[in-house]
Amino acid sequence: MKQQYDKHRYDVVVIGSGPAGMAAAVSAADSGVSVCLAEREERMGGILKQCIHDGFGLIRFKEKLTGPEYAWRYEQMVRKRDIDFMGLTFLTGIEKRENDFKIAFVNPERGVFEIEAGSLVMAMGCRERSGRQIFLHGERPAGIFTAGQAQDFINLKGFMPGRRCVILGSGDIGLIMSRRLTLEGAEVLGVYEIGSAPSGLTRNIVQCLEDYNIPLHLETTVTEVHGKERVEGVTVCRVDENKKPIMETALFLACDSLILSVGLIPENDILAPLDVDIDSVTKGPSVNQRQETSVPGMFSCGNALHVSDLVDYVSESGHVAGKMAAARVLKREADSGQMVIKKAGILQYAVPQNISFPVNGQVPVFFRPSEASDHAEFIFRQGERVIHKKKLSWLKPSEMHRLELDLSKVRQDGPAVTFELKPEAVNE
Amino acid sequence: MNKKMICIACPRGCAMTVNLEGDEPVIRGNQCSRGLDYARQEILQPLRMLTTTVKTTHPDYPRLPVRLSCDIPKDSLLECMRLINRVRVDHDCLPGDVLVSGVAGELVNLIATGDLSYDA
C-alpha cells in the first residue's frame, strides 16, 4: 500500500474515490492546487470495482469498458498527478470555519487526526435501500441481500449468495445480478416489480432478462419472507392500482435467497450537522451551477448529488466540482446573488437547483421526468422570456437526460427562472 | 413481417423495428449507425459480450474480473463460462493482459479487466 501522508492542510480535499471523486481530484489538481483524496476502502474505484459488466465509458472514453477498466483509467490519471491518496481513511466529522473546513478522519496509521481544507468535494456516492426501508419485516433469516451485496460476494469475494433466487425490484443492479447469478449456475425464478414499468434501463431488460428467459413480473411484490435460519421461500402477490396487495393472487415460491434492487439513496448523513440544504426529491444537496452546496466552499458531485444512470455523467459532475472547488480557493470572491430555479410540468427534478451570480458559460443540466411521455419539450425561461427550448422523445422517469444550457442569459435583476418539461401530443 | 427489437449497443436503448420482407432488412428507429449494425447482426446471429471472474491464488483478492476479446454467439455463453471457470491466475497482471489465448474457439482470448499484484 502507498505510504500515508502527514500534511495537515490542503487546498481541496475530496471525500470518496469512486468515479466522481477521482475525476474531481484530477480536475482540482489540474487547476494547480494541492489535493487530498480520502477513501474508506483500501483501493480507489468505488463501486466500479465490483461492476464487472461492460457498457461504461461510451461517452467519456468513446469505448465500451467494464467497471474495473473504467476505474483503472481514472486511477492512472490520479497517480500521474500530485494527489495525496489516503486509503482506509474514514471521515468522522466536518467543521465549517469562517474561511475553510476542519475535517476529522480515522485510519490505521494515523489514528484519529484532522486536516484543514480550503474547499471540500463530497463524492460519497449512494447506498442501496435495504429490506427495512421497504417494510420487509419479520424474521431475519440468512439469504436476504441487496443486489450490490450479492455483487460484492460473487465478483470480489467469490461466494455464491444462493442457488434459487427471487429478485425484488427491477433496478439496474438487480437486472445485472439476475444475469450474473444465472451465468454462475444459480436459478433466478423471476424479477418482481411493484410498479407498472421496470425501473432499470430497457437494454438491461433485454440483455439480462430476455436473453436468459428470466420472467419479469410487473405490479407484483413480495409480501412475506419464509424461513427462520435461512430463507425457505417468499410469498409474491399482485398489487392493485394503489399498490395494495391482492391477497387472492398470493403465491408461494420456494427459494433460498431474496435479492433486493429497490432503489439507491445519495449518502449525505455526514452533512446533517452542517445544515446543508437537501433537495427532497434527489436526496442530495441543492447546488448552484458550480455544484456548490448551500455551505460556501463545499461542493457535491456524482451519486451523492443525485443518482445517475451512467458513470460517464458521474465523472463529468466530479470534474465540474473539482474544478470549481479549486477555483474557490484560488479566487475567494463572494457571489453577488442567488436565484432558485423553479420546476414546472412533468419535471421530477433538475440539477443544478440554483443559479449563483455572476454566471458564465454553458453548464450541463441533468433532469428526470416525473412520468413517462412519448414526446415533451424542455423549456428554459425567465419570466415569460424563453431562453432555450428543446424537443425530446421517449421520456421515462428511469432515464436521466442531460442538456447544456447557457445560464449567462439569465438577468440577475429579472423575474424567476423556470425549467419546464411540457408533455406534447403528437399526431403520428 | 416486422420484428421489434431494443438496441443494446448503448444505454439509450433505441426501440427499433426491422422489416424482413425485402432482400435487405429495413431498419427503423435507430438513432445512430451502431443500431443498424446491431439489428443486422441480431437477425443473422445474436452476439454478446461475456464478462465474469476467474479464481486467483492471491490471499486478499480471490477473484480477478475478465472479459472476452470479442462478442461470441449468445447460445455459447454458458459453455464458455464452463471453460473460463477452469482458469486460475497466479501471477501479476494488468487490465488488457491476455490470460488465455483461444479460450472459446481459436480467435477468442480471455482478457483481464482488473489488476493483480503479488508484491506485498
Side-chain angles (χ1 to χ4, degrees):
Chain A
M1 207 181 96
K2 215 175 161 186
Q3 107 238 357
Q4 294 286 352
Y5 303 88
D6 53 7
K7 264 175 81 169
H8 288 280
R9 186 170 179 90
Y10 291 90
D11 292 324
V12 174
V13 171
V14 180
I15 309 297
S17 67
M22 290 190 288
V26 165
S27 70
D30 286 349
S31 304
V33 301
S34 60
V35 181
C36 172
L37 178 58
E39 166 59 48
R40 69 180 166 200
E41 290 188 30
E42 189 174 348
R43 305 193 51 179
M44 287 178 229
I47 205 69
L48 286 171
K49 298 193 296 290
Q50 67 183 55
C51 297
I52 62 159
H53 54 282
D54 71 345
F56 300 96
L58 279 163
I59 301 169
R60 177 64 184 80
F61 295 110
K62 308 275 177 265
E63 264 183 77
K64 197 155 80 175
L65 302 173
T66 62
E69 289 170 304
Y70 187 99
W72 172 257
R73 293 212 181 178
Y74 262 102
E75 183 174 345
Q76 299 316 301
M77 289 188 248
V78 170
R79 298 220 179 271
K80 269 193 204 121
R81 287 163 177 81
D82 191 15
I83 295 168
D84 288 357
F85 174 70
M86 299 196 301
L88 295 174
T89 302
F90 200 83
L91 170 69
T92 58
I94 304 166
E95 186 193 329
K96 166 78 179 146
R97 303 190 299 196
E98 198 178 336
N99 282 315
D100 63 359
F101 296 90
K102 195 161 86 177
I103 315 156
F105 289 112
V106 60
N107 78 18
E109 285 199 15
R110 292 169 75 176
V112 174
F113 64 102
E114 287 176 337
I115 280 181
E116 296 171 342
S119 302
L120 256 180
V121 178
M122 311 309 290
M124 294 88 66
C126 58
R127 272 183 187 273
E128 296 179 281
R129 280 172 82 199
S130 66
R132 303 287 138 183
Q133 283 163 299
I134 55 160
F135 311 110
L136 202 63
H137 294 305
E139 298 285 351
R140 297 185 182 190
I144 303 174
F145 305 93
T146 63
Q149 261 179 329
Q151 195 175 42
D152 173 65
F153 280 143
I154 298 179
N155 294 348
L156 297 181
K157 298 189 171 73
F159 298 136
M160 277 300 274
R163 290 282 160 200
R164 229 178 115 81
C165 314
V166 165
I167 316 279
L168 176 59
S170 57
D172 285 310
I173 321 169
L175 302 176
I176 296 282
M177 287 316 294
S178 301
R179 172 175 67 182
R180 189 75 191 109
L181 284 157
T182 307
L183 284 171
E184 289 293 350
E187 189 185 353
V188 177
L189 301 181
V191 174
Y192 294 84
E193 165 63 52
I194 193 167
S196 54
S199 56
L201 296 172
T202 315
R203 73 194 290 250
N204 286 335
I205 303 289
V206 175
Q207 63 182 353
C208 298
L209 300 188
E210 289 173 11
D211 275 4
Y212 298 90
N213 299 315
I214 299 168
L216 169 64
H217 302 274
L218 296 172
E219 295 173 332
T220 310
T221 193
V222 169
T223 51
E224 198 176 346
V225 180
H226 305 268
K228 199 168 167 65
E229 297 300 320
R230 176 81 202 188
V231 172
E232 288 163 10
V234 295
T235 301
V236 294
C237 223
R238 305 251 323 151
V239 297
D240 63 19
E241 58 272 23
N242 300 316
K243 296 194 175 171
K244 226 181 121 189
I246 306 165
M247 294 319 291
E248 304 81 73
T249 64
L251 184 68
F252 176 82
L253 296 174
C255 62
D256 64 10
S257 50
L258 175 65
I259 313 277
L260 307 173
S261 180
V262 289
L264 302 166
I265 302 166
E267 172 150 30
N268 290 298
D269 297 350
I270 196 86
L271 303 184
L274 292 159
D275 281 329
V276 177
D277 285 350
I278 300 286
D279 183 323
S280 62
V281 180
T282 62
K283 314 278 184 218
S286 291
V287 294
N288 63 21
Q289 76 279 5
R290 294 190 295 267
Q291 285 173 226
E292 193 168 17
T293 66
S294 60
V295 173
M298 179 185 280
F299 296 77
S300 178
C301 59
N303 282 350
L305 177 57
H306 63 118
V307 177
S308 283
D309 308 338
L310 302 185
V311 72
D312 308 71
Y313 292 157
V314 165
S315 292
E316 181 184 22
S317 120
H319 177 85
V320 171
K323 200 167 114 186
M324 295 303 162
R328 228 322 155 235
V329 175
L330 296 170
K331 201 169 136 229
R332 259 189 198 284
E333 188 173 284
D335 293 338
S336 61
Q338 179 138 313
M339 200 180 253
V340 175
I341 301 168
K342 291 189 171 175
K343 293 183 291 186
I346 56 163
L347 192 67
Q348 183 190 142
Y349 74 76
V351 175
Q353 291 90 345
N354 311 306
I355 303 174
S356 281
F357 298 95
V359 197
N360 45 26
Q362 303 267 98
V363 291
V365 171
F366 295 98
F367 62 91
R368 285 180 199 274
S370 54
E371 55 187 78
S373 179
D374 287 355
H375 301 280
E377 191 167 36
F378 184 92
I379 306 162
F380 163 34
R381 60 185 155 84
Q382 182 166 29
E384 295 305 309
R385 180 173 65 101
V386 174
I387 299 173
H388 189 84
K389 279 204 282 196
K390 170 96 181 164
K391 286 195 193 296
L392 302 160
S393 296
W394 315 119
L395 297 101
K396 294 178 197 169
S398 61
E399 294 181 10
M400 198 172 85
H401 288 259
R402 175 189 183 280
L403 283 179
E404 271 192 35
L405 298 179
D406 186 359
L407 296 185
S408 65
K409 297 210 169 113
V410 173
R411 289 194 213 105
Q412 191 172 352
D413 54 1
V417 169
T418 306
F419 288 161
E420 180 174 4
L421 193 57
K422 197 168 153 188
E424 278 186 344
V426 170
N427 299 321
E428 303 252 343
Chain B
M1 188 190 78
N2 273 325
K3 196 174 151 64
K4 287 190 172 182
M5 58 173 77
I6 301 287
C7 181
I8 62 169
C10 89
R12 187 179 285 155
C14 294
M16 305 189 291
T17 55
V18 185
N19 187 305
L20 295 167
E21 279 156 24
D23 295 338
E24 276 284 301
V26 179
I27 299 151
R28 288 208 179 80
N30 59 299
Q31 293 181 51
C32 79
S33 64
R34 278 195 303 239
L36 298 178
D37 298 341
Y38 172 78
R40 288 200 190 103
Q41 186 61 52
E42 197 69 7
I43 297 160
L44 230 57
Q45 180 180 42
L47 298 181
R48 296 290 183 269
M49 171 49 65
L50 180 60
T51 68
T52 179
T53 62
V54 293
K55 264 184 284 201
T56 78
T57 55
H58 196 290
D60 300 329
Y61 300 103
R63 308 298 297 191
L64 178 72
V66 295
R67 63 173 168 86
L68 299 180
S69 54
C70 60
D71 293 353
I72 59 168
K74 189 165 93 171
D75 50 22
S76 63
L77 290 168
L78 287 170
E79 171 61 13
C80 193
M81 277 296 287
R82 218 174 48 77
L83 297 169
I84 294 172
N85 283 341
R86 295 182 188 157
V87 177
R88 195 174 67 162
V89 177
D90 59 1
H91 52 81
D92 288 6
C93 60
L94 293 175
D97 287 358
V98 176
L99 298 172
V100 183
S101 304
V103 70
E106 270 176 51
L107 300 171
V108 185
N109 299 334
L110 187 68
I111 312 281
T113 58
D115 64 310
L116 195 62
S117 168
Y118 281 84
D119 300 337

